[in-house]
Amino acid sequence: MLVLQWPQIIFLCWCTLWLCHAAAIHKRETKASFPYTLIRVVLLCLLLGWGGFFNAIAHAQTIPAQAQRYRLELTRTAHSQWGLDAPIATLAAQVHQESGWNPQAISHVGAQGLAQFMPATARWWCDLHSQNATDCQPQNPTWALRALVGYDKYLFDRTPPRLSDFDRLWVALRAYNGGLGHWQAEAASTGLAWPTRSQVDAACGKARRHISHCPENLRYPHRILLLLQPRYSTWEPSL
């Protein structure tokens, strides 16, 4: 979506006034040519658009302003848990999808914080890492980012190594959204020894997961990896 700020708005207003003035002169049948003026304005707009005048800030505005507040923490955490080739853009896109970078976000089912951990998942994650209850804080931005990055790595490490990094991350994201056990059961339901990512996607709802949950679960990695991730392309590598 194109979002305009004052420089673009002022320019468009100026073009409108210029065209109105040219039209008024044209009506008085002077030598001024309204079509000629219109062509000049269109060409000017095309040149400015080609040069990025209208798109320069539109791309940045597709990222919530508060995302920059957490960029450094996310980058540090990702590098510490994934290494220097951590998929920063992918992880940022996931936070965008989960909470829109709102640390106080609470979903209608009770998921909390930047990472939208359910209370039971948060308790399990804290128990896994020997964190006491007082340190288990889904609405604390630092805790949430570390948990999201760590849980993604935990899931990624449990995806089939034969798959590409992109497909493994796709699987990890589906597992984050709907549970690793469901994905594994659906992989087994294909009856194939080495099912592809697409074959397991096609088997959604054919094991323990109810088929009504499949559209959301399948859209989740698609939106993160294909729609949101490009917005964070300047935030370092993605898978």
Side-chain angles (χ1 to χ4, degrees):
M1 178 181 179
L2 181 63
V3 181
L4 302 180
Q5 286 193 344
W6 285 113
Q8 290 77 18
I9 293 171
I10 292 172
F11 172 75
L12 291 176
C13 289
W14 177 79
C15 287
T16 302
L17 291 173
W18 186 14
L19 289 173
C20 290
H21 177 68
I25 294 176
H26 184 69
K27 286 181 180 179
R28 293 199 296 267
E29 299 182 348
T30 65
K31 294 181 180 180
S33 171
F34 175 71
Y36 176 64
T37 302
L38 178 60
I39 291 172
R40 285 192 296 175
V41 171
V42 171
L43 288 176
L44 179 59
C45 289
L46 288 175
L47 286 172
L48 288 171
W50 180 73
F53 179 74
F54 295 106
N55 295 326
I57 63 168
H59 178 76
Q61 283 203 338
T62 60
I63 299 175
Q66 60 268 35
Q68 293 296 335
R69 185 185 313 167
Y70 305 111
R71 179 176 178 175
L72 182 58
E73 180 64 37
L74 176 65
T75 302
R76 287 174 174 170
T77 301
H79 284 162
S80 69
Q81 299 197 44
W82 287 74
L84 294 180
D85 59 347
I88 306 295
T90 311
L91 297 168
Q94 187 181 12
V95 179
H96 185 135
Q97 169 64 22
E98 285 291 342
S99 62
W101 296 94
N102 178 9
Q104 302 304 317
I106 300 178
S107 76
H108 68 282
V109 295
Q112 303 174 7
L114 289 176
Q116 288 292 279
F117 267 42
M118 292 293 290
T121 306
R123 288 193 297 271
W124 167 79
W125 185 252
C126 288
D127 289 343
L128 185 66
H129 291 84
S130 301
Q131 294 181 355
N132 58 49
T134 58
D135 294 329
C136 196
Q137 303 173 12
Q139 290 187 289
N140 179 302
T142 299
W143 186 96
L145 291 176
R146 291 176 180 176
L148 179 140
V149 171
Y151 190 31
D152 278 341
K153 186 65 165 63
Y154 172 92
L155 294 169
F156 183 87
D157 289 345
R158 286 158 178 76
T159 61
R162 69 180 183 279
L163 300 179
S164 67
D165 283 348
F166 179 90
D167 283 352
R168 292 184 71 187
L169 192 50
W170 181 287
V171 172
L173 290 170
R174 283 196 62 197
Y176 187 104
N177 175 260
L180 180 61
H182 282 305
W183 188 90
Q184 291 171 334
E186 288 160 359
S189 75
T190 66
L192 302 171
W194 309 108
T196 65
R197 187 260 293 176
S198 297
Q199 288 170 328
V200 181
D201 284 353
C204 188
K206 296 182 179 179
R208 301 194 304 265
R209 190 198 321 260
H210 194 277
I211 196 169
S212 64
H213 299 299
C214 290
E216 177 191 349
N217 186 250
L218 292 170
R219 281 196 302 267
Y220 186 78
H222 179 273
R223 177 165 169 75
I224 291 170
L225 293 172
L226 302 180
L227 300 181
L228 294 176
Q229 179 177 277
R231 303 182 187 186
Y232 295 89
S233 59
T234 60
W235 283 35
E236 295 194 29
S238 57
L239 290 184

